Amino acid sequence: MRTDLERRKIGYVLAVACDHQIPTGAGKLRADALVKKLPKRAWQKLSAGAGAKGHRLYDWALADIADDGPGHRQLLVRRNRRTRELAFYRCYSATPVPLSTLVRVAGRRWTVEETFEASKGLAGLDEHQVRRWTSWHRWVTLAMLAHAFLAVTAAVERRDHPAAEDLIPLSGNEIQHLFAALINPVHDLAHRLRWSRWRRRHQARARTSHYRRQATTQL
């Protein structure tokens, strides 16, 4: 896959194992062995993206990969600031790109995983028994459409009606709550909207607390 992507001049950031062999000027080295040769100044603290509890801050480092082919090949290393656990990514780009760009691309993995998790929780993506391909295909298609509807509705609402500072923006999860209230109206709509604002205000306070705690622990 890497060969085909490079032939098409498509950049990538692909996770590899710690024992992945990395070509260097001194021969091939395991990824975890190559990291031990990096100087302390090679590490930079960068965010891989915003999460539920604040920015995902890690230490990152780059090591060049010896290769005579066109383009730029590097080993990207992520280090957990608390546990010191390492993760490795093999990178390629047709033109030079900064470390921050590679980190941002590596962080997109969480976005994909969160999308799958949301599809399962909000639209039942994983609730089919998969006995026949046709029924499974229909179920997954319907679940994906439902999740896309929630995501697009949330995005349009955030664009057209920005939330107040003491509220988090409307999410797909909150929109699902409101639609469920319309389908099964146990209480009147005004009551449901008040509960919705209470939940969003409580979540905003929790997010602020998480961000403040993170700011003090990630120094």
Side-chain angles (χ1 to χ4, degrees):
M1 182 175 66
R2 293 201 311 269
T3 300
D4 190 59
L5 289 173
E6 293 175 13
R7 181 177 59 83
R8 298 169 182 265
K9 296 183 178 181
I10 299 176
Y12 60 73
V13 177
L14 300 176
V16 295
C18 63
D19 60 353
H20 183 76
Q21 297 295 316
I22 304 296
T24 68
K28 288 189 175 182
L29 294 174
R30 285 170 52 116
D32 52 1
L34 180 59
V35 171
K36 296 178 181 179
K37 299 181 179 296
L38 296 175
K40 290 184 178 180
R41 65 177 181 275
W43 296 94
Q44 297 184 41
K45 183 179 74 171
L46 294 170
S47 171
K53 298 182 179 181
H55 286 281
R56 300 185 178 100
L57 292 172
Y58 293 92
D59 292 327
W60 300 84
L62 271 179
D64 291 329
I65 296 177
D67 196 302
D68 296 332
H72 300 264
R73 295 164 183 81
Q74 297 166 305
L75 177 70
L76 175 65
V77 187
R78 186 193 74 200
R79 184 175 66 191
N80 189 295
R81 296 179 58 81
R82 182 175 58 85
T83 65
R84 318 301 285 181
E85 181 182 2
L86 298 175
F88 306 92
Y89 303 86
R90 187 154 178 166
C91 309
Y92 164 81
S93 59
T95 58
V97 295
L99 172 61
S100 58
T101 299
L102 298 176
V103 169
R104 178 172 53 82
V105 174
R108 296 295 294 176
R109 173 180 176 179
W110 283 288
T111 304
V112 176
E113 292 176 350
E114 288 172 350
T115 300
F116 275 112
E117 183 179 355
S119 299
K120 294 174 183 179
L122 298 178
L125 181 65
D126 60 341
E127 295 182 7
H128 192 271
Q129 296 181 0
V130 197
R131 294 182 177 180
R132 294 180 179 274
W133 184 90
T134 301
S135 60
W136 171 84
H137 183 267
R138 291 172 177 171
W139 178 271
V140 169
T141 302
L142 181 61
M144 291 174 66
L145 286 173
H147 182 260
F149 170 77
L150 293 174
V152 171
T153 302
V156 171
E157 182 66 21
R158 289 194 295 268
R159 182 196 65 191
D160 297 341
H161 303 91
E165 292 184 0
D166 62 336
L167 300 175
I168 67 165
L170 271 175
S171 62
N173 190 59
E174 189 61 29
I175 291 174
Q176 188 212 41
H177 274 294
L178 294 175
F179 268 102
L182 290 175
I183 295 173
N184 186 22
V186 178
H187 299 282
D188 60 86
L189 182 59
H191 176 84
R192 289 294 188 180
L193 290 176
R194 286 194 298 270
W195 267 107
S196 175
R197 291 182 64 84
W198 181 90
R199 281 194 299 267
R200 294 167 62 195
R201 184 174 293 109
H202 176 74
Q203 291 166 353
R205 290 171 180 170
R207 182 184 62 182
T208 301
S209 299
H210 284 307
Y211 275 43
R212 289 176 178 172
R213 180 185 178 188
Q214 184 187 66
T216 58
T217 59
Q218 294 288 349
L219 296 176

